[in-house]
Amino acid sequence: MAVTKGVVSPYDRILDIATRREIDSVNRGYFLANLTNTLIDILKRMNLIDLNTSYIIASEGVTLEEIEERFFQVSSYFYEVYEKMSKEQADKKNK
């Protein structure tokens, strides 16, 4: 999750990668759906997201825009959790 300017959200990291590499829309949808679901799994295992949170599947009835929007939402939440936990850990270290 790092770029030259530091740690960023998974969404921002994917945007950074996209500046150097273009992926066709089918593969992009599949990749983003799987990455989104992986982030959801991590958050569920940490009890930081509702266990009933649904996954997204790259399929005929789901547009790339829907997948990208869901990825943005989950990525943003994941990054918020990461920042909060990092700050709490730094605060404990400084005490």
Side-chain angles (χ1 to χ4, degrees), residues 1-20:
M1 293 189 339
V3 296
T4 54
K5 60 184 173 185
V7 176
V8 296
S9 73
Y11 179 82
D12 289 333
R13 179 67 177 122
I14 295 302
L15 287 180
D16 176 61
I17 292 169
T19 64
R20 295 183 301 283

Side-chain angles (χ1 to χ4, degrees), residues 16-32:
D16 176 61
I17 292 169
T19 64
R20 295 183 301 283
R21 183 171 181 200
E22 190 170 328
I23 300 174
D24 68 86
S25 62
V26 173
N27 285 328
R28 182 174 174 81
Y30 178 77
F31 170 77
L32 291 178

Side-chain angles (χ1 to χ4, degrees), residues 16-80:
D16 176 61
I17 292 169
T19 64
R20 295 183 301 283
R21 183 171 181 200
E22 190 170 328
I23 300 174
D24 68 86
S25 62
V26 173
N27 285 328
R28 182 174 174 81
Y30 178 77
F31 170 77
L32 291 178
N34 281 309
L35 182 52
T36 301
N37 294 338
T38 298
L39 295 174
I40 290 170
D41 279 340
I42 292 167
L43 292 166
K44 282 183 177 185
R45 288 181 187 157
M46 296 174 69
N47 294 319
L48 297 171
I49 198 168
D50 184 352
L51 294 177
N52 294 321
T53 300
S54 61
Y55 296 100
I56 190 158
I57 298 172
S59 63
E60 238 179 87
V62 181
T63 66
L64 180 57
E65 290 78 21
E66 290 172 312
I67 294 169
E68 288 175 336
E69 176 62 27
R70 181 76 168 141
F71 173 60
F72 176 75
Q73 292 167 348
V74 173
S75 172
S76 297
Y77 180 68
F78 182 86
Y79 188 64
E80 286 174 27

